[in-house]
């Protein structure tokens, strides 16, 4: 399978995984960390319905589905001081927020939005950084499952999605970023981040939309 031959998109379900990045309440819900920093969370919430469609199609096709969450230990020992110091707003990681301590594992705001709740058996990966490969067992999980291609969804397009795609690209994975299933607080960053992925003949990977990817999954599962 080549993702270059994407008309119509063909997917090998046995070597493809769906990874949904950081669809957490703290980033997506009004009153969460993202909203507290002055961001318009509706720009991220538009990715929820396409992610739901992808989840349903991926589950029906029997794909490996991985969910990630960005966050830290309650004692913050896994958070670099540089990360804790930045943010610009009145609140920082670890501070009390409306949904518990901000981006701390186990707190309500750290959880995945209920619309995209992981199903039993779907790995949920806690990551301390932006990239999903950094200090996690993602590479091991993918290798054990024989995965070569990642369908990538989640937030935010230019931060955790991009970092993960770059990490995956250097490790030899094909990445297909699902344009309407990713989102950013900054529409211009979203647009340019997607353009950067496919520039120069697919410098980091490929971009499609949820309708085409779901159709490909449905065809592959038939
Ligand atoms: N998941 C993710 O992208 N974390 C961020 O901190 N994103 C921002 O855009 N800030």
């Amino acid at each position: 399978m080549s993702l270059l031959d994407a008309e119509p998109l063909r997917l090998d379900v046995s070597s493809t995984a769906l990874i949904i990045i950081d669809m957490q309440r703290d980033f997506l819900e009004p009153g969460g960390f993202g909203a507290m920093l002055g961001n318009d969370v509706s720009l991220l919430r538009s990715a929820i319905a396409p992610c739901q469609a992808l989840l349903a199609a991926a589950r029906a096709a029997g794909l490996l589905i991985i969910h990630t969450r960005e966050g830290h230990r309650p004692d913050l020992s896994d958070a670099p001081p540089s990360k804790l110091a930045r943010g610009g707003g009145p609140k920082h990681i670890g501070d009390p927020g409306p949904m518990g301590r901000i981006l701390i594992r186990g707190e309500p705001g750290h959880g995945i939005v209920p619309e995209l709740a992981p199903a039993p058996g779907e790995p949920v990966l806690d990551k301390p950084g932006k990239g999903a490969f950094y200090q996690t067992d993602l590479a091991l999980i993918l290798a054990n499952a024989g995965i070569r291609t990642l369908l990538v969804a989640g937030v935010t397009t230019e931060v955790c999605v991009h970092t993960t795609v770059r990490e995956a690209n250097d490790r030899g994975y094909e990445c297909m970023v699902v344009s309407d299933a990713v989102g950013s607080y900054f529409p211009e960053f979203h647009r340019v981040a997607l353009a950067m992925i496919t520039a120069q003949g697919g410098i980091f990977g490929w971009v499609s939309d949820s309708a085409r990817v779901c159709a490909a999954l449905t065809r592959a599962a038939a």
Side-chain angles (χ1 to χ4, degrees):
M1 182 225 34
S2 164
L3 294 178
L4 282 167
D5 305 326
E7 284 295 345
L9 178 63
R10 286 183 287 119
L11 293 170
D12 172 8
V13 292
S14 67
S15 62
T16 300
L18 169 64
I19 181 163
I20 304 185
I21 311 264
D22 300 358
M23 292 294 278
Q24 293 162 261
R25 299 182 64 199
D26 253 335
F27 293 125
L28 285 129
E29 291 195 354
F33 183 42
M36 213 160 43
L37 295 176
N39 297 302
D40 174 2
V41 293
S42 71
L43 292 164
L44 266 55
R45 294 190 67 79
S46 64
I48 292 176
C51 281
Q52 284 179 306
L54 275 178
L55 258 182
R59 283 172 180 156
L63 252 61
L64 173 66
I65 298 167
I66 295 169
H67 307 258
T68 74
R69 301 182 294 206
E70 181 179 356
H72 297 280
R73 294 168 178 264
D75 66 3
L76 297 174
S77 58
D78 60 349
S82 57
K83 183 177 183 183
L84 296 176
R86 282 186 266 119
K91 294 271 191 179
H92 294 87
I93 292 168
D95 288 348
M99 290 190 283
R101 291 180 66 204
I102 293 162
L103 289 186
I104 298 299
R105 294 176 189 164
E107 300 286 343
H110 178 259
I112 292 171
V113 295
E115 297 91 329
L116 300 173
E122 294 173 358
V124 179
L125 220 127
D126 281 322
K127 62 187 185 64
K130 306 304 185 199
F133 287 86
Y134 178 68
Q135 298 290 342
T136 73
D137 54 6
L138 177 59
L140 183 60
I141 292 172
L142 297 178
N144 287 341
I147 300 301
R148 301 305 317 150
T149 299
L150 300 177
L151 305 174
V152 187
V155 296
T156 63
T157 318
E158 78 280 13
V159 183
C160 292
V161 170
H162 234 262
T163 305
T164 299
V165 168
R166 288 169 186 240
E167 288 180 327
N169 176 66
D170 277 348
R171 287 163 175 79
Y173 294 96
E174 288 281 14
C175 287
M176 173 65 81
V177 178
V178 187
S179 58
D180 51 334
V182 296
S184 169
Y185 299 123
F186 306 96
E188 181 67 2
F189 290 174
H190 174 80
R191 187 183 67 74
V192 174
L194 290 178
M196 288 169 71
I197 287 165
T198 56
Q200 303 179 68
I203 191 80
F204 293 128
W206 312 105
V207 174
S208 189
D209 59 28
S210 61
R212 290 186 65 209
V213 171
C214 287
L217 287 172
T218 303
R219 274 196 305 274

